Amino acid sequence: MKIGIIGHLKFPIAKPFAGGLEAFTHAYTRALQLRGHDVTLFASGDSDRELPLRSITPAATIPESQSRTGRVCHEWIEGVEDEAYASLMSELSTSDFDVIHNHSLSPIPLRFAELLPSRLLTTLHAPVLPRMASEIDVRGPEHCGHFVNISKANANAWRRLLPSQTIVRNGVDTNFWVRCQAPKKRRAIWFGRILPDKGTHLALRAAHRAGIPLDVVGPISDEDYFHSEVMPLMQAEDRYLGHRTHEELCGLISQSAVTIVSPCWDEPFGLVVAESLACGTPVAAFRRGAMPELISPSTGRLASPGNVRQLARAITYCMDLPGEVCRRVAQEHLSFDRMVDQYEALYKSQTGSVFPTEVAA
């Protein structure tokens, strides 16, 4: 099939990834290519040039320097992105793509959905975004294409606006995220973008209460938060290991006794959970967003949102969980191949415009 993928523009679709959406878009584009599809990724010009890239802006709209300091002009960003997406959608209106799959965080593709030669398919990777919600309200969901959500929890958040959604859970490459041969260490790991919404400081407090040192891995997306809330909590045995490659991260996760996931908001999915389980590492997390859909008693333990004492108990519980069970669950329920199979089934249903409301995970 000839498939157009609309990426988001805030960060480049390139390693080292700024976050989960960039990693997803990169891996998904590659997977479709490997299955023989003719794929074009519409993204920023500083994205990975080894992808089938068609640049729609010269560079990502949030430079790393602005992201770290928080000095971001949202009005300027929205203006640049709106113009780029509007120009793209005008171009796509006369294209011959079989499928146009929208992974952006912008309302503009929805605005032009009815001009496309095929029904627009949009995956909702985020909670309800005001500008997207307004566009759907004004136009009506039936005029904005078909919507896929990445978890039941996130679908419920969008339900008022979108009564009909297909659920396809995200997945990870379980051939890449694997258990290494090195033995487990009595250390916990927290990884992701470091900013208040991710609750890095709460993970540190819970790890200390559980009596286990913590490795913190990831890019600093809020320097004020990192220096005022995270660094003062780090003890002698804790380590901040910076922004690592996926290869390095895989080894670090695999050798950790437990992964701590401490969101202070309702995570739409949580790729860190899937990556950890694939590496044979159980997960202790706050019960928010999609966490209850991803973590079972055999693979981790949930704590009440924001409750550090409960999270510490969850960490202790996870220390005794077998890694082989975690990996098997990831292979059976959270694999990338399973996810791509489900999207391909959706693509094939495009011709008749018949979409299932839920795809079995």
Side-chain angles (χ1 to χ4, degrees):
M1 302 181 77
K2 186 173 183 181
I3 302 167
I5 301 292
I6 303 177
H8 85 132
L9 296 173
K10 289 178 171 47
F11 302 101
I13 312 302
K15 296 179 181 179
F17 300 113
L21 182 51
E22 294 78 25
F24 169 90
T25 307
H26 191 283
Y28 186 61
T29 301
R30 280 284 196 211
L32 291 176
Q33 280 189 292
L34 290 172
R35 293 192 179 203
H37 298 291
D38 179 5
V39 186
T40 302
L41 171 63
F42 299 98
S44 63
D46 51 354
S47 296
D48 187 348
R49 287 289 174 172
E50 292 187 3
L51 295 173
L53 180 66
R54 160 77 157 75
S55 170
I56 60 173
T57 57
T61 56
I62 302 183
E64 179 67 17
S65 59
Q66 289 186 16
S67 174
R68 288 168 64 94
T69 61
R71 292 190 292 271
V72 177
C73 179
H74 293 286
E75 293 80 7
W76 179 84
I77 290 169
E78 288 175 359
V80 170
E81 292 181 354
D82 287 358
E83 184 177 345
Y85 284 127
S87 177
L88 171 64
M89 297 306 286
S90 176
E91 177 185 328
L92 291 178
S93 68
T94 58
S95 69
D96 59 351
F97 285 99
D98 300 304
V99 175
I100 297 172
H101 194 168
N102 174 31
H103 295 275
S104 77
L105 305 175
S106 168
I108 304 302
L110 309 182
R111 185 175 302 173
F112 291 88
E114 291 194 305
L115 299 180
L116 299 178
S118 60
R119 194 176 184 192
L120 180 68
L121 187 66
T122 295
T123 294
L124 298 166
H125 292 273
V128 178
L129 300 171
R131 296 182 74 224
M132 289 184 75
S134 177
E135 198 68 40
I136 294 167
D137 256 342
V138 168
R139 300 189 180 279
E142 67 277 12
H143 300 293
C144 296
H146 184 79
F147 292 87
V148 175
N149 220 309
I150 58 176
S151 69
K152 291 181 180 179
N154 204 48
N156 288 336
W158 284 89
R159 190 76 63 194
R160 181 190 68 80
L161 291 160
L162 300 169
S164 177
Q165 302 169 63
T166 299
I167 297 172
V168 178
R169 285 190 184 138
N170 281 343
V172 297
D173 183 355
T174 54
N175 292 317
F176 175 85
W177 298 99
V178 297
R179 299 180 68 190
C180 68
Q181 297 302 312
K184 292 280 187 185
K185 299 177 181 178
R186 196 181 182 282
R187 300 186 67 86
I189 189 170
W190 182 102
F191 61 98
R193 293 174 62 202
I194 300 173
L195 70 168
D197 282 349
K198 300 291 187 178
T200 322
H201 65 297
L202 299 178
L204 279 161
R205 289 175 181 166
H208 296 159
R209 182 177 284 273
I212 185 171
L214 182 66
D215 290 332
V216 175
V217 184
I220 300 169
S221 294
D222 187 322
E223 287 190 342
D224 288 342
Y225 167 70
F226 179 74
H227 291 295
S228 64
E229 301 290 336
V230 176
M231 282 300 295
L233 291 176
M234 298 195 76
Q235 298 179 356
E237 291 189 52
D238 300 322
R239 300 184 298 181
Y240 172 56
L241 299 177
H243 194 182
R244 296 301 187 96
T245 67
H246 272 52
E247 289 77 11
E248 292 171 324
L249 184 57
C250 183
L252 290 167
I253 298 168
S254 186
Q255 294 179 57
S256 299
V258 56
T259 294
I260 303 175
V261 182
S262 50
C264 296
W265 68 306
D266 291 334
E267 290 273 7
F269 185 74
L271 283 174
V272 294
V273 176
E275 291 163 355
S276 295
L277 297 183
C279 290
T281 301
V283 178
F286 288 138
R287 186 182 292 105
R288 297 204 64 159
M291 295 299 112
E293 298 175 47
L294 306 178
I295 300 169
S296 68
S298 64
T299 60
R301 176 61 64 92
L302 296 168
S304 298
N307 191 318
V308 170
R309 186 184 299 272
Q310 285 189 20
L311 187 58
R313 288 200 293 267
I315 293 167
T316 302
Y317 170 85
C318 288
M319 302 285 283
D320 295 324
L321 293 177
E324 59 270 17
V325 173
C326 296
R327 175 150 178 83
R328 185 166 65 249
V329 168
Q331 289 174 312
E332 293 175 357
H333 301 290
L334 298 171
S335 76
F336 208 77
D337 283 343
R338 179 268 317 160
M339 182 200 72
V340 179
D341 287 344
Q342 292 168 357
Y343 273 123
E344 281 189 320
L346 278 179
Y347 290 171
K348 290 173 183 176
S349 72
Q350 286 266 78
T351 304
S353 298
V354 177
F355 292 88
T357 56
E358 184 166 346
V359 178

